[in-house]
Amino acid sequence: MDVKFTRRDFLKLSIGSLVLSSLGINLEPVKAYAKELKIKNAKETTTICPYCSVGCGIIVYSKGGKVVNTEGDPDHVISRGKLCPKGASLYQLANNPTRLLKPLYRAPYSDKWKEVSWDWALDRIAKLVKKTRDKYFIYKNEKGQVVNRVEAIAHVGSAALDNEECYILQKFLRALGIVYIEHQARI
Amino acid sequence: MGRKALLITPELCIGCRACQVACKSWNNLPAEKTKNNGTHENPPDLSGYTYVKIRFIEKEVKGEVKWLFVRQSCMHCGEPACVQVCPVGAMQKDPETGIVFYDKSICIGCQACRSACPFDVPRYDKEGKISKCYMCIDRVKAGLEPACAKTCPTGAIKFGERDELIAQAKAEGFKVLYGEKELGGLGVIFALNREPAYYNLVENPKAPEKVVALGEMLKILVAKGIPINNSIIKEFLS
């Protein structure tokens, strides 16, 4: 909001204050409950809680690209502003000093985690998926019917996936020949 | 804006502790070390970094364990002893909403408020300054609900005009309204069906008798620049 103060407004205010103060009315603000509301003038972005499949609505308040607060969205049809403890802690997802910022890798038989780059981690995952798929790909079943499937890899999806993400994942997994496609909410 | 209150209904509470989390989130309070005390109740106690806590009370009813979830936080008394005793005016009661809040920048950390509190609520942060529930007065003044009441998924914490909440609880047939009359009427009211002691609530809470005198004494000490030792306060009240 753009508030413009003209000279005329200023004069009006000053005269008003003068009159009030001459009447002996205390113009000092009521003792401050000090802090300014931390979400004042913050940008509001609506989102869906990423945890379970209920899909509660959340408002993310940000200032200058930094998340300053998250809380339930009172206008959301599912949750009406209510959140469980996990959803209520969403602020921590963006602002937590212990949050992991890089992939960690624990080599087979190692007892230590080491930081690796995203490129390295994704390459390794891709290589291992290919290796396993090549090794265990089943062209035909016992009856000689063409099945083209991989039973050595399984996939567990998250409850927080949206329709479009599920669609892409299904395409990808079916293309690999994976048949064990599960969902977190069924475990 | 009339007097505000929180209406707590332990029977609706499922012990999810979203209120504890929402409170910490709004106030940017750090996590605390938890401890297994034999129940699921955690953190172990209120602290300068935990303003609200749900007590997990176990009761045996007909050979079965029944869980009671009762909120523990500042009760926002109608006649707050902490405000009367505070020698520097750091603890204040908002005349409009009845919320008992504080100004950390004035607090001298004498801990008189904790000694005066009938519910043993005030706690102190690492700098020794007062730190407790202030019913999100910043939010309330902006027309929002306190963080705990907003998040509560079952409606066990309701926020609103005090009179309306009391009328509502009475209409719903609750036998006991703890906090309706106590200490000038509390700002946190419990809708119960049994005696308050069953829920580990203090029956007939009373502020120490010498609170006003103690406040005056502390004011003189502060004016003269004499440091206040908490043991003096305890001795005076005993």
Side-chain angles (χ1 to χ4, degrees):
Chain A
M1 202 168 64
D2 194 10
V3 181
K4 284 197 180 122
F5 237 66
T6 61
R7 193 169 156 269
R8 198 187 166 85
D9 288 333
F10 181 69
L11 275 176
K12 260 199 258 174
L13 258 183
S14 335
I15 293 165
S17 327
L18 204 75
V19 172
L20 276 176
S21 53
S22 58
L23 286 172
I25 294 166
N26 189 2
L27 281 181
E28 251 183 88
V30 181
K31 190 137 190 173
Y33 9 88
K35 295 187 300 180
E36 191 176 73
L37 195 71
K38 72 174 178 181
I39 52 174
K40 193 178 172 188
N41 299 330
K43 186 185 170 195
E44 293 184 11
T45 314
T46 56
T47 186
I48 307 291
C49 178
Y51 291 117
C52 85
S53 49
V54 171
C56 298
I58 291 178
I59 302 178
V60 179
Y61 294 87
S62 58
K63 279 183 182 171
K66 294 269 176 210
V67 176
V68 292
N69 184 44
T70 60
E71 59 185 68
D73 178 358
D75 295 329
H76 195 266
V77 286
I78 302 288
S79 53
R80 301 273 179 218
K82 307 296 176 189
L83 287 177
C84 83
K86 263 184 103 171
S89 72
L90 206 67
Y91 170 78
Q92 299 280 319
L93 219 56
N95 300 297
N96 190 319
T98 59
R99 182 185 159 196
L100 294 181
L101 298 170
K102 279 191 179 155
L104 292 179
Y105 172 66
R106 186 178 62 78
Y109 306 108
S110 167
D111 60 353
K112 284 182 188 67
W113 293 94
K114 73 169 188 190
E115 267 188 13
V116 291
S117 71
W118 275 108
D119 283 346
W120 186 89
L122 290 171
D123 279 354
R124 182 165 168 84
I125 292 167
K127 270 181 207 157
L128 290 179
V129 167
K130 169 122 179 33
K131 196 178 147 195
T132 310
R133 184 175 182 266
D134 289 349
K135 191 174 172 189
Y136 295 102
F137 198 81
I138 303 167
Y139 292 98
K140 284 179 182 170
N141 66 8
E142 290 157 359
K143 292 179 190 164
Q145 294 161 323
V146 178
V147 286
N148 285 341
R149 66 178 178 227
V150 181
E151 292 179 358
I153 306 175
H155 180 269
V156 180
S158 155
L161 293 171
D162 58 36
N163 276 348
E164 291 73 18
E165 288 162 341
C166 285
Y167 179 84
I168 293 169
L169 269 172
Q170 277 286 343
K171 286 279 175 198
F172 167 64
L173 301 169
R174 299 284 181 205
L176 286 175
I178 296 174
V179 285
Y180 296 127
I181 301 171
E182 253 304 348
H183 185 264
Q184 175 227 326
R186 271 172 36 107
I187 296 172
Chain B
M1 206 183 269
R3 191 173 174 199
K4 302 288 182 191
L6 292 171
L7 178 70
I8 315 294
T9 317
E11 278 172 21
L12 291 178
C13 181
I14 53 171
C16 76
R17 292 182 286 201
C19 47
Q20 288 181 207
V21 175
C23 174
K24 289 220 174 201
S25 185
W26 176 254
N27 295 302
N28 291 336
L29 299 169
E32 283 188 274
K33 209 164 171 57
T34 53
K35 194 181 165 207
N36 188 346
N37 283 324
T39 73
H40 286 260
E41 186 173 321
N42 256 316
D45 192 15
L46 290 179
S47 78
Y49 304 99
T50 300
Y51 299 165
V52 56
K53 202 193 115 190
I54 299 296
R55 286 191 186 123
F56 285 41
I57 303 164
E58 289 172 13
K59 295 275 177 193
E60 198 182 316
V61 180
K62 291 174 193 162
E64 282 183 14
V65 177
K66 196 173 179 252
W67 242 344
L68 289 175
F69 306 115
V70 184
R71 177 191 166 104
Q72 185 185 7
S73 77
C74 175
M75 300 286 208
H76 299 279
C77 309
E79 291 156 6
C82 54
V83 175
Q84 290 169 3
V85 85
C86 183
V88 290
M91 196 73 95
Q92 298 155 32
K93 186 182 162 199
D94 181 44
E96 202 182 1
T97 57
I99 294 174
V100 179
F101 66 104
Y102 50 90
D103 186 344
K104 271 196 196 209
S105 63
I106 314 176
C107 175
I108 53 168
C110 69
Q111 306 206 352
C113 44
R114 184 164 182 185
S115 302
C117 179
F119 304 102
D120 188 31
V121 164
R123 298 289 190 274
Y124 306 89
D125 62 16
K126 285 203 183 81
E127 282 80 46
K129 307 267 185 182
I130 173 69
S131 201
K132 70 159 187 80
C133 163
Y134 58 101
M135 218 197 264
C136 292
I137 190 167
D138 47 350
R139 294 174 61 94
V140 173
K141 291 281 177 181
L144 299 166
E145 289 177 276
C148 57
K150 181 172 180 192
T151 206
C152 182
T154 63
I157 307 175
K158 283 195 197 84
F159 173 77
E161 297 288 322
R162 192 170 180 276
D163 299 341
E164 286 173 18
L165 287 174
I166 290 173
Q168 190 188 328
K170 279 185 177 164
E172 281 169 18
F174 285 100
K175 291 182 193 121
V176 183
L177 274 190
Y178 182 81
E180 190 191 358
K181 300 263 159 46
E182 281 83 353
L183 295 165
L186 304 180
V188 179
I189 304 153
F190 290 77
L192 311 171
N193 275 324
R194 292 191 58 156
E195 70 284 2
Y198 187 72
Y199 300 84
N200 288 10
L201 292 165
V202 188
E203 294 237 35
N204 303 318
K206 276 198 185 80
E209 281 171 16
K210 300 171 189 163
V211 153
V212 177
L214 174 65
E216 293 307 313
M217 182 189 85
L218 293 177
K219 266 175 211 152
I220 294 167
L221 291 181
V222 168
K224 292 197 169 174
I226 302 165
I228 300 171
N229 188 328
N230 194 246
S231 59
I232 303 173
I233 297 169
K234 291 222 167 91
E235 205 166 301
F236 189 89
L237 290 175
S238 63

